[in-house]
Amino acid sequence: MKTVSSMPIVTERKLELEFSEDWKIIQYDQQANPKTGEAASFYRRIIERGGVQQVRGVDIVCRLPDVPAKLQFIEVKDDRKRTIGTGDRHAELFISVLQKTVGTLAGLVLAERLGEASLHTQACLSQNPPIEVVLFLVEPALAPITSAENGLSRLVKKERVAALDQRLTAKLDEWGIVFALYNLSNRPPRDWQVRDLA
């Protein structure tokens, strides 16, 4: 993560996310970077290391400047270069976002118990903060509508995205968590901006 004029900036693949200067941002799933000397995140060092399996974490955890505390978990999926495989990508994303949300919640509880300094602002679940989970999803561009078949595939894709949004909204609401789905045309609120570096 870098800062420009005190604005925290996070790069995830070919997307650059810039946050308001009063937000506390952590790249929750950050790998160690020998070139820059940045250490691996708590999630990579403590949760994932040592044989723990099936635990996943979101890309970014934000503590908003609100009082009392409010958290935002951000998962970035830039699928523009993704090789099309078998199966329903949107069903896969549904499971992935839920797994990463649960894994991040568990990690923050552990970080708070251990007094983890790198997460001292985000590890505040004992305060019962409101939490919002954001999926920032960039999908491959749709081909221009040149035939009825092409138009139908475009409609099916839009319906799948809408269904993913509805399913995640409903499931996370059961957990008392707000969900939002954004993309490059449906951008997030003014508190953070996304630049396409592709």
Side-chain angles (χ1 to χ4, degrees):
M1 181 173 61
K2 62 182 178 177
T3 56
V4 175
S5 67
S6 71
M7 305 284 274
I9 296 176
V10 174
T11 302
E12 286 286 335
R13 299 194 185 210
K14 295 289 184 179
L15 299 169
E16 187 175 80
L17 291 77
E18 182 178 323
F19 299 89
S20 294
E21 61 187 45
D22 52 356
W23 284 40
K24 305 297 182 203
I25 310 300
I26 188 86
Q27 284 182 271
Y28 185 72
D29 69 347
Q30 178 177 296
Q31 300 276 8
N33 187 337
K35 290 180 183 177
T36 63
E38 287 184 83
S41 67
F42 172 80
Y43 164 71
R44 296 286 183 195
R45 287 183 292 109
I46 306 299
I47 306 290
E48 193 178 60
R49 191 193 72 198
V52 176
Q53 298 178 9
Q54 309 301 324
V55 176
R56 302 175 73 192
V58 298
D59 294 319
I60 304 164
V61 176
C62 310
R63 167 104 178 236
L64 284 62
D66 305 40
V67 177
K70 184 175 181 182
L71 298 176
Q72 189 175 82
F73 298 173
I74 302 172
E75 179 63 22
V76 179
K77 292 294 183 192
D78 187 349
D79 282 356
R80 290 175 290 187
K81 300 281 187 192
R82 183 178 167 83
T83 305
I84 298 174
T86 58
D88 181 354
R89 173 64 172 155
H90 298 98
E92 180 185 317
L93 286 171
F94 175 76
I95 293 167
S96 176
V97 169
L98 294 178
Q99 287 177 333
K100 289 182 176 211
T101 299
V102 169
T104 302
L105 289 168
L108 291 177
V109 167
L110 184 57
E112 190 171 14
R113 275 181 67 89
L114 296 175
E116 172 62 30
S118 67
L119 286 168
H120 74 278
T121 55
Q122 290 86 358
C124 60
L125 294 185
S126 64
Q127 298 172 35
N128 198 25
I131 299 172
E132 179 182 31
V133 172
V134 173
L135 172 60
F136 195 92
L137 176 62
V138 183
E139 296 188 291
L142 295 168
I145 299 176
T146 55
S147 66
E149 181 182 333
N150 194 303
L152 181 60
S153 67
R154 179 183 286 256
L155 180 62
V156 166
K157 188 172 187 179
K158 285 185 177 182
E159 287 176 351
R160 284 185 175 164
V161 171
L164 172 64
D165 190 357
Q166 291 170 354
R167 289 180 69 202
L168 283 169
T169 297
K171 186 61 183 175
L172 289 170
D173 183 63
E174 289 177 12
W175 299 351
I177 297 173
V178 174
F179 175 73
L181 176 63
Y182 297 120
N183 57 46
L184 287 171
S185 58
N186 171 26
R187 292 175 185 251
R190 60 181 175 79
D191 296 289
W192 53 280
Q193 301 299 316
V194 180
R195 274 189 287 292
D196 187 2
L197 304 177

